[in-house]
Amino acid sequence: MAKKTTTKEKSIEESLWDAANKLRGSIEPSEYKHVVLGLIFLKFASDKFEDRRKELIAEGKEKYIEMKEFYNMKNVFFLAETSRWSYIIKKAKQDDIALQIDTALNQIEKNNPSLKGALPDNYFSRLGLDKSKLASLLDTINKIDTQKDKAQDIVGRVYEYFLSKFALAEGKGKGEFYTPKSIVNLIAEMIEPYKGIIYDPACGSGGMFVQSIKFIENHHGNKQEISIYGQEYTNTTYKLAKMNLAIRGISANLGEKAADTFGNDQHKDLKADYIMANPPFNQKDWRGENELVDDPRWRGYEVPPKSNANYGWILNMVSKLSDDGVAGFILANGALSGGGEEYKIRRKLVENNLVEAIVILPQNMFYTTNISVTIWILNKNKKTHTRTIGDEIRNYRDREEEVLFLDLRQIGEPFEKKFIQFGPGHILDIAKTYHDWQQTDSDYKDVPEYCYSATKADIEKKDFSLIPSKYIEFVNRDENIDFDTKMTALQSELSEVLRAQEQSKKELLEVFKELGYAIEL
């Protein structure tokens, strides 16, 4: 009997990605991601609108079904008739479909002030998309019922998948709008943004905020007790962030517009309880020679060098921390050492008891660079205190004289063939090590090649270098090997191999001679 073959059914995400890829042609991923994500947003907004419309009719409130207030009160975006998905699908095969979509998105933004500056602006008409390929993508998206399983957050899942795939497609030097999810999850599990103000000075597409909200939900917290503030420099990425948050019903203040955090800080007086960030690595010429010299954000520290913005980002975040605030952010490894103004700033950060943990990550975690990078944890309150997370009461010991170093370079699992990510178990284990180190009555111990709790005196002896390998013990696995005996054995093996090769060569020459060939090998 013939063997029955089974075909794995494609996920919603994979089907959408295949349909989206048909649009590529001469369009860069950096362009067409706004087309695809804009359409996904439009379908989601329409499905929520239609659900609310049916609800109003069921309640006998048909006369209110075209009044936006009755939608906004339930956190639903109001859509005029020409902005609804059903209208767009009817027009899908028409020559002016791109213009129809642009008009629909423009109307949605006008009718919903919270979406100001969020949606793609004339992308569809401007890019000259192939009409049949666009119609095919519309058909694929039309099959998704975004409201079918609210618990599964289908649209959020699709959106996250697409952001990841677009970052992979854009590759090195691009894709800065996305921080790999497992790194964001790790930062959230470590600093535990549970209640208060969250800030991201380089928020990209808003991934830090999304994972913060998920952390709160997973620990049975109240999303209403969190306020979100962010800033993003690139206008198209600013739009991505606003869309990403809007589809999840997350309110955030991302400033009036896309703007440079250094040159146009839109949250000057903010004091945040949690900061999560992945600022651009090693940003050069981020300020002019005589610009931002007297900026209040560096008060008490040296002015960060204009040749590299790493310490500008650090001090921006330090200035925004509340008295109990904690920051988790990613920087290139070069910030861990080096001289000049960076050395002086780093030394003061340690002396001021702000540095709590330094976590070195594996290579190949980022889609935009293959360098190894570091998570920094800064904490304004390393003294003895108590904190409640969900039903758990945490008692923290005094850590002012200590810094935890973690080396995660041997941890992780393959992802998309050439990348590394942390699995859920890895994240929980790493976070547990950190929290055990923080708390009283824990069983924390230094582990060779993994973690070490260094004192300020230790760090001073290393001239305030924060490179983890200077502190974490590494095991000499060769210390019990008799190298002389090992070398003799290897040389003997090599001699045998060479003798065998020589014998094979002689035998081969004899064969050729018998066949009448004069061959030299």
Side-chain angles (χ1 to χ4, degrees):
M1 189 172 74
K3 192 174 182 179
K4 189 176 181 181
T5 57
T6 57
T7 305
K8 184 183 176 185
E9 187 177 346
K10 283 187 178 179
S11 67
I12 292 171
E13 296 96 323
E14 291 171 321
S15 298
L16 269 173
W17 181 251
D18 288 346
N21 263 333
K22 293 174 184 175
L23 283 178
R24 288 186 69 167
S26 59
I27 303 172
E28 288 290 319
S30 57
E31 292 278 12
Y32 85 93
K33 71 169 172 276
H34 299 285
V35 171
V36 177
L37 295 174
L39 288 174
I40 293 171
F41 174 83
L42 180 56
K43 178 65 164 70
F44 167 77
S46 292
D47 286 353
K48 285 202 76 171
F49 173 84
E50 295 297 345
D51 268 15
R52 176 59 178 154
R53 185 183 174 88
K54 290 173 185 173
E55 194 177 81
L56 287 170
I57 293 171
E59 293 171 356
K61 299 175 181 176
E62 287 188 55
K63 62 181 178 180
Y64 302 125
I65 60 174
E66 295 300 326
M67 294 177 66
K68 65 177 68 174
E69 294 81 6
F70 282 84
Y71 294 87
N72 297 159
M73 66 189 288
K74 293 284 188 176
N75 293 318
V76 174
F77 299 120
F78 177 79
L79 276 62
E81 184 178 355
T82 53
S83 296
R84 296 167 196 169
W85 186 258
S86 55
Y87 181 88
I88 296 298
I89 287 296
K90 285 177 186 175
K91 306 282 184 180
K93 303 294 191 287
Q94 294 187 5
D95 291 338
D96 67 344
I97 182 59
L99 178 61
Q100 297 280 0
I101 296 169
D102 279 331
T103 303
L105 292 170
N106 184 262
Q107 286 179 330
I108 293 173
E109 202 169 297
K110 280 186 176 178
N111 281 322
N112 300 277
S114 65
L115 290 175
K116 182 182 176 183
L119 303 182
D121 185 16
N122 293 325
Y123 262 92
F124 294 81
S125 305
R126 179 170 62 79
L127 292 177
L129 299 166
D130 181 281
K131 184 183 72 174
S132 61
K133 290 179 181 178
L134 181 55
S136 174
L137 178 60
L138 287 167
D139 285 342
T140 304
I141 293 174
N142 190 45
K143 296 171 185 173
I144 304 173
D145 181 357
T146 67
Q147 300 302 293
K148 184 178 179 181
D149 188 350
K150 294 180 177 64
Q152 287 296 315
D153 185 21
I154 292 171
V155 175
R157 196 182 77 203
V158 167
Y159 210 88
E160 200 165 77
Y161 176 84
F162 266 64
L163 287 172
S164 168
K165 293 292 278 187
F166 279 122
L168 282 164
E170 292 187 33
K172 191 173 181 180
K174 299 178 182 178
E176 287 89 351
F177 58 86
Y178 185 78
T179 305
K181 182 181 173 184
S182 72
I183 298 177
V184 183
N185 285 348
L186 177 59
I187 293 174
E189 287 295 333
M190 290 181 79
I191 73 170
E192 299 180 308
Y194 190 70
K195 185 187 297 185
I197 293 173
I198 301 173
Y199 170 63
D200 184 344
C203 69
S205 53
M208 298 288 184
F209 302 137
V210 171
Q211 294 308 319
S212 295
I213 296 299
K214 286 185 178 179
F215 176 85
I216 294 165
E217 290 173 341
N218 291 339
H219 291 80
H220 312 294
N222 184 354
K223 291 188 292 185
Q224 304 303 315
E225 295 182 331
I226 280 284
S227 300
I228 291 173
Y229 293 81
Q231 188 156 340
E232 172 53 40
Y233 176 69
T234 306
N235 188 52
T236 52
T237 307
Y238 174 81
K239 289 176 181 289
L240 280 182
K242 295 202 82 170
M243 269 200 293
N244 194 14
L245 298 176
I247 64 170
R248 301 166 193 276
I250 300 173
S251 299
N253 181 344
L254 304 185
E256 287 296 312
K257 58 183 179 180
D260 173 26
T261 299
F262 294 122
N264 182 11
D265 183 2
Q266 298 190 65
H267 305 295
K268 287 184 177 178
D269 300 320
L270 182 71
K271 291 297 180 185
D273 301 293
Y274 309 98
I275 297 177
M276 299 173 69
N278 173 26
F281 298 155
N282 301 320
Q283 192 178 355
K284 302 185 185 309
D285 298 319
W286 59 283
R287 65 175 180 86
E289 188 66 47
N290 298 309
E291 292 178 355
L292 299 173
V293 174
D294 297 320
D295 194 287
R297 285 174 285 188
W298 346 126
R299 191 169 292 142
Y301 293 87
E302 300 295 314
V303 178
K306 76 180 189 70
S307 60
N308 193 315
N310 286 342
Y311 277 80
W313 289 110
I314 291 174
L315 292 185
N316 174 76
M317 289 184 269
V318 168
S319 73
K320 303 276 190 213
L321 283 174
S322 67
D323 290 341
D324 294 318
V326 57
F329 54 89
I330 306 158
L331 287 178
N333 285 355
L336 298 172
S337 60
E341 293 94 337
E342 292 189 346
Y343 167 82
K344 294 174 184 176
I345 297 170
R346 187 169 60 252
R347 178 173 180 158
K348 282 188 180 177
L349 290 171
V350 174
E351 291 175 340
N352 291 345
N353 302 320
L354 284 173
V355 181
E356 179 163 69
I358 298 292
V359 184
I360 196 162
L361 300 177
Q363 287 185 313
N364 298 319
M365 293 200 81
F366 282 81
Y367 312 147
T368 55
T369 178
N370 60 1
I371 64 171
S372 181
V373 300
T374 307
I375 295 173
W376 291 54
I377 307 287
L378 303 184
N379 197 332
K380 288 283 283 285
N381 183 8
K382 292 169 68 178
K383 296 178 180 178
T384 303
H385 65 281
T386 300
R387 185 184 176 203
T388 302
I389 304 289
D391 298 328
E392 186 180 352
I393 298 174
R394 304 271 182 84
N395 295 308
Y396 293 87
R397 63 187 182 81
D398 190 322
R399 305 175 312 284
E400 288 204 316
E401 297 295 316
E402 295 174 75
V403 174
L404 178 66
F405 289 92
L406 284 161
D407 189 331
L408 310 183
R409 288 176 295 177
Q410 303 305 313
I411 297 174
E413 60 191 26
F415 172 67
E416 293 281 347
K417 295 181 181 178
K418 61 180 179 178
F419 298 104
I420 295 291
Q421 67 177 5
F422 295 132
H426 298 136
I427 292 170
L428 292 177
D429 288 345
I430 296 161
K432 183 178 185 305
T433 299
Y434 171 64
H435 295 309
D436 283 350
W437 172 80
Q438 286 182 311
Q439 296 172 57
T440 58
D441 303 323
S442 78
D443 57 357
Y444 170 83
K445 292 178 182 177
D446 294 334
V447 178
E449 301 186 9
Y450 174 53
C451 62
Y452 183 80
S453 180
T455 64
K456 281 168 67 174
D458 291 333
I459 296 171
E460 186 174 1
K461 287 176 186 175
K462 303 291 185 183
D463 201 20
F464 295 93
S465 169
L466 295 178
I467 298 173
S469 60
K470 287 182 177 288
Y471 304 94
I472 296 172
E473 179 188 353
F474 281 81
V475 178
N476 182 0
R477 292 185 174 83
D478 300 328
E479 62 187 3
N480 295 318
I481 294 175
D482 183 339
F483 283 99
D484 290 337
T485 304
K486 185 74 173 175
M487 186 59 69
T488 301
L490 288 172
Q491 286 172 338
S492 177
E493 287 177 27
L494 181 58
S495 297
E496 287 297 323
V497 170
L498 291 174
R499 273 196 294 271
Q501 284 183 337
E502 192 62 33
Q503 183 62 34
S504 297
K505 188 191 295 183
K506 287 177 182 178
E507 291 173 358
L508 191 58
L509 282 171
E510 289 298 323
V511 172
F512 278 117
K513 281 179 183 178
E514 288 178 12
L515 294 172
Y517 295 100
I519 302 281
E520 288 186 10
L521 293 176

